[in-house]
Amino acid sequence: MNNNCLILVVEDDTPVRNLISTTLASHDYQYMTAATGEQAIRAASDHSPDIILLDLGLPDLDGVEVIRSVRSWSVTPIIVISARSEDTDKIEALDAGADDYLTKPFSVEELLARIRSTQRRLTYMKQSGPDKPSFNNGALKIDYAGKAVYVNGEQIHLTPIEYKLLDLLSHNVGKVLTYQFITKNVWGSSYDSDIASLRVFMAGLRKKLHGESSIQTHIGIGYCMVRAE
Ligand code: CA
């Protein structure tokens, strides 16, 4: 299946770009490279890659500008590669439309794991379309029409806000959602007090899901529902 997946690697640092390219080639991925933001936007529009790996620190444009540009016409998953340890640039990138992120230095295994998880999400999106009646992910099942949630076949009862959270996470499976994105969608606002409430509601939701572990916490950034393998 890797053979059909074209990955655009956007990185101005030649050794890092070569490392990523070599890794992709040795795992049978097709890839193409770009060293600037302008090249990246052109390559994304000319070649419609399946996944974009995007370094945020580029010589001409900021990576976030590349995301905004690509997002104006494409839903191609974008995995951001950030050299900065602060969370603000990742949050900005995710809110601009990136799907996931890697922090430098990263291992080859981490890189491949993110790509595989993005491929699973792509496969899932192609199979089920946007208006699916239900959602299955490991032990978790959501019946959207009936607003009913099951873990291992047993129905669990959620408050309206807990359900809204789970609904939002499941419709964005594999995508890291920032605190701001979630609170805007669930409460319509994004004050610090909403973010504090979000933590409380997420803790409640997780407890009701009985340790069903598909919801990941990204400390300082947000949450992501991961697709079960
Ligand atoms: Ca760079």
Side-chain angles (χ1 to χ4, degrees):
M1 118 172 151
N2 292 355
N3 295 319
N4 299 322
C5 185
L6 173 63
I7 301 179
L8 170 61
V9 180
V10 187
E11 170 64 79
D12 60 316
D13 183 335
T14 307
V16 178
R17 192 172 64 239
N18 290 345
L19 170 72
I20 296 174
S21 305
T22 310
T23 304
L24 295 178
S26 68
H27 288 80
D28 291 333
Y29 288 103
Q30 293 180 45
Y31 69 89
M32 55 188 305
T33 60
T36 67
E38 294 285 358
Q39 281 176 19
I41 292 167
R42 203 171 329 122
S45 106
D46 290 352
H47 301 279
S48 305
D50 298 293
I51 297 174
I52 301 173
L53 293 175
L54 175 68
D55 177 33
L56 284 182
L58 294 169
D60 53 344
L61 299 173
D62 190 274
V64 173
E65 293 174 57
V66 177
I67 299 170
R68 291 205 179 101
S69 168
V70 171
R71 273 293 167 269
S72 64
W73 42 265
S74 165
V75 294
T76 301
I78 300 173
I79 303 172
V80 152
I81 300 173
S82 169
R84 286 157 276 186
S85 56
E86 307 94 80
D87 295 328
T88 45
D89 62 329
K90 289 171 205 152
I91 290 170
E92 200 190 351
L94 291 165
D95 281 335
D99 296 78
D100 200 351
Y101 59 86
L102 272 167
T103 306
K104 284 182 188 171
F106 55 85
S107 68
V108 161
E109 287 73 26
E110 262 181 288
L111 171 69
L112 291 169
R114 294 310 161 86
I115 292 171
R116 280 195 301 270
S117 131
T118 303
Q119 283 184 291
R120 282 199 299 277
R121 176 165 171 249
L122 281 171
T123 309
Y124 172 73
M125 280 165 30
K126 278 175 193 154
Q127 281 166 353
S128 49
D131 291 320
K132 48 203 173 290
S134 66
F135 172 84
N136 287 282
N137 193 22
L140 177 69
K141 179 178 176 178
I142 306 171
D143 166 13
Y144 291 125
K147 294 201 173 188
V149 177
Y150 304 85
V151 175
N152 290 317
E154 189 189 329
Q155 188 170 4
I156 51 171
H157 297 280
L158 301 181
T159 65
I161 285 182
E162 288 167 346
Y163 181 81
K164 264 181 145 175
L165 285 171
L166 192 63
D167 181 73
L168 184 67
L169 286 162
S170 67
H171 277 101
N172 291 280
V173 68
K175 195 167 156 50
V176 180
L177 305 181
T178 63
Y179 297 133
Q180 288 81 353
F181 179 87
I182 298 172
T183 53
K184 268 187 199 144
N185 273 275
V186 174
W187 284 280
S189 55
S190 186
Y191 299 111
D192 288 349
S193 59
D194 296 325
I195 294 171
S197 304
L198 173 60
R199 291 208 179 87
V200 175
F201 279 104
M202 283 302 287
L205 174 60
R206 282 198 160 120
K207 204 171 165 193
K208 288 187 184 176
L209 295 177
H210 303 301
E212 191 283 327
S213 60
S214 64
I215 303 172
Q216 286 181 343
T217 300
H218 291 250
I219 294 166
I221 294 177
Y223 299 95
C224 174
M225 180 178 281
V226 290
R227 191 90 207 135
E229 305 231 8

